[in-house]
Amino acid sequence: MAGIYIHIPFCTKACNYCDFHFSTSLNNKTAFVEALLKEISIQKNYFPEGEIISTVYFGGGTPSLLTAQELGAIFKSLYKSFKISDSAEITLEANPDDLSAEKLTELKSAGVNRLSIGVQSFYDEDLLWMNRAHSSAEAIAAIKNAQAQGFDNITIDLIYGVPTLTEHKWRNNLQIAFALDIQHISAYCLTVEKGTALYHDISRNKSANVDEDQGAEQFEIMLEAMKNGGFVQYEISNFCKPGWHSRHNSNYWLKEKYLGLGPSAHSFNGFERKWNIANNAVYIRSLNEGLIKDEKEVLTDHQQYNEYVMTSLRTMWGTDLMEIGQRFGKEAMNNCLKDAEKYISSGDLIKKENKLILSDKGKLIADRIAADLFIEKN
Ligand code: SF4
């Protein structure tokens, strides 16, 4: 169940909240694709021989900025270097303003079978506030055009906790999404990351700050609306119609192996994590010399345990005490259960057979609970 992630580090406009790695100058795009093809070839033995790749995910940045030729060359190189399953889930993140009828045809014929569309809100004033490059009408048209072209696995991103997003608008955003008959929704609470335009605007009193209570209220509204809309919450920020979960992201949470390609992309081979340099020019230059500029970290048992708790607790499958016992020993399992007791008593955690699962109430404090279950507390 291994996966490949490809980071396309270009955007036409910088959204005010974004701290992903990207450049708004497209000057290096051709050189980047050439470097990426070299990286694919160098990494062809990353997985053990015979490993089948079940998911490929183009993220960014804005992968929908790739031309048909660029995407075609990347796919050709991927299929040459890796054993990609015939039934692989192949996702591409796209911004609505890129999804013309022609682009959708190109993506479909290239082999993309899942589209992740960055909608964020169906209100233009919110999009303007976020400095998004598209309008609400473009987002709706993009989804409908994609469906008309035969894309039957569509996810959209939405953001809540935005100062301009009232409770009424948030409820409407969810209802509009449900009416569009999509399969999956990722919904994130706005956070203010250091170094972003939003962070600077708030520091200079040019923007309203993010209100944690508003985020928590909108989270609760969302949980109820998603249930009524027929969406299953299989991870704190991810909801799907039954059976339509993201196979790629589920692999991350289930600690499957993945290879990340492109600047800033992370990889994990079961015990070692590595991440590529988050600098387009250095990435290109080093690959021109046949080298991958990256950093590596071998995870200690404690780190692996903490990561397992952090990621598994956020999913509907929960944290498996038996798995902790098998992987980290009986003492770790007993300590985990002991630390969990107070949250089980308060109703934030539910113990179901050997699993610890967050209740709706507990989802609001998921990070705090996970940190309390860690072996090395923060
Ligand atoms: S389009 Fe996506 S990656 Fe690019 S700036 Fe906006 S949020 Fe960040």
Side-chain angles (χ1 to χ4, degrees):
M1 291 291 282
I4 293 178
Y5 171 83
I6 300 167
H7 191 82
I8 308 298
F10 300 101
C11 294
T12 48
K13 214 172 166 187
C15 305
N16 72 348
Y17 54 85
C18 182
D19 76 334
F20 293 139
H21 170 68
F22 66 92
S23 160
T24 50
S25 160
L26 305 191
N27 291 342
N28 273 339
K29 188 155 75 84
T30 306
F32 157 73
V33 173
E34 281 166 16
L36 177 66
L37 299 179
K38 285 184 189 135
E39 191 190 5
I40 293 172
S41 166
I42 293 172
Q43 292 286 30
K44 66 177 184 236
N45 296 322
Y46 180 80
F47 296 108
E49 207 183 331
E51 182 94 43
I52 307 287
I53 307 301
S54 62
T55 63
V56 176
Y57 192 103
F58 289 84
T62 310
S64 49
L65 290 175
L66 291 171
T67 63
Q69 290 71 26
E70 289 167 339
L71 197 57
I74 296 169
F75 270 118
K76 195 173 161 202
S77 179
L78 285 174
Y79 277 95
K80 196 174 150 201
S81 301
F82 300 99
K83 280 194 171 24
I84 299 177
S85 159
D86 290 342
S87 58
E89 175 192 270
I90 301 182
T91 307
L92 182 132
E93 290 181 354
N95 273 351
D97 47 315
D98 291 331
L99 291 180
S100 62
E102 191 190 350
K103 173 65 81 180
L104 284 160
T105 313
E106 288 170 9
L107 297 176
K108 193 112 192 47
S109 48
V112 173
N113 54 29
R114 184 171 183 270
L115 274 183
S116 171
I117 305 179
V119 172
Q120 318 311 351
S121 173
F122 290 105
Y123 286 89
D124 285 343
E125 62 174 329
D126 299 333
L127 298 172
L128 209 62
W129 186 88
M130 297 178 210
N131 201 36
R132 296 286 302 177
H134 64 90
S135 66
S136 165
E138 281 176 314
I140 292 173
I143 295 166
K144 290 186 174 171
N145 289 339
Q147 288 167 330
Q149 296 262 5
F151 281 99
D152 61 359
N153 192 355
I154 296 177
T155 177
I156 66 168
D157 283 354
L158 292 174
I159 300 185
Y160 59 95
V162 174
T164 53
L165 184 74
T166 60
E167 185 185 314
H168 171 73
K169 282 162 69 183
W170 179 228
R171 287 183 194 278
N172 267 358
N173 269 346
L174 293 166
Q175 293 308 322
I176 295 168
F178 300 155
L180 284 164
D181 200 22
I182 48 176
Q183 288 68 35
H184 188 285
I185 300 172
S186 296
Y188 303 99
C189 188
L190 181 68
T191 52
V192 184
E193 304 295 341
K194 269 194 178 161
T196 60
L198 179 59
Y199 178 84
H200 292 298
D201 283 352
I202 292 171
S203 323
R204 293 190 207 111
N205 290 322
K206 283 190 182 166
S207 171
N209 203 344
V210 170
D211 177 358
E212 274 185 28
D213 291 342
Q214 180 198 352
E217 277 160 28
Q218 295 186 349
F219 180 78
E220 289 185 84
I221 289 170
M222 172 174 74
L223 294 197
E224 202 194 329
M226 291 283 193
K227 271 181 203 154
N228 295 337
F231 280 77
V232 180
Q233 185 181 28
Y234 68 102
E235 198 265 352
I236 289 219
S237 306
N238 287 281
F239 303 80
C240 67
K241 295 263 180 70
W244 291 97
H245 61 278
S246 157
R247 281 161 51 196
H248 185 81
N249 288 342
S250 301
N251 278 355
Y252 289 151
W253 304 321
L254 299 172
K255 304 309 291 167
E256 300 287 349
K257 289 177 223 145
Y258 55 89
L259 169 64
L261 300 158
S264 81
H266 284 59
S267 307
F268 179 68
N269 61 6
F271 57 94
E272 180 189 81
R273 210 174 9 196
K274 70 178 199 74
W275 53 97
N276 286 352
I277 189 154
N279 180 311
N280 291 358
V282 178
Y283 172 82
I284 293 166
R285 209 167 43 236
S286 55
L287 274 152
N288 282 342
E289 291 161 11
L291 299 168
I292 297 170
K293 200 112 180 117
D294 59 11
E295 286 181 59
K296 295 188 174 82
E297 172 184 53
V298 176
L299 299 181
T300 64
D301 276 357
H302 282 182
Q303 284 171 319
Q304 288 190 42
Y305 167 90
N306 290 351
E307 276 206 0
Y308 170 70
V309 168
M310 183 68 164
T311 47
S312 61
L313 198 63
R314 291 175 61 90
T315 70
M316 70 176 191
W317 303 286
T319 300
D320 187 340
L321 292 164
M322 289 297 278
E323 184 172 342
I324 290 180
Q326 278 157 12
R327 283 178 59 189
F328 306 105
K330 214 163 169 211
E331 195 185 338
M333 181 181 82
N334 291 338
N335 285 340
C336 181
L337 185 57
K338 196 163 139 258
D339 290 339
E341 292 293 358
K342 66 175 172 185
Y343 294 111
I344 296 171
S345 312
S346 62
D348 292 305
L349 276 179
I350 299 160
K351 185 166 179 295
K352 206 170 165 188
E353 294 165 3
N354 294 313
K355 305 275 180 67
L356 297 172
I357 299 168
L358 289 169
S359 65
D360 280 355
K361 189 160 84 81
K363 285 169 189 164
L364 280 166
I365 52 164
D367 289 347
R368 193 196 313 162
I369 298 176
D372 258 358
L373 305 186
F374 285 173
I375 287 182
E376 288 166 337
K377 317 272 188 234
N378 290 326

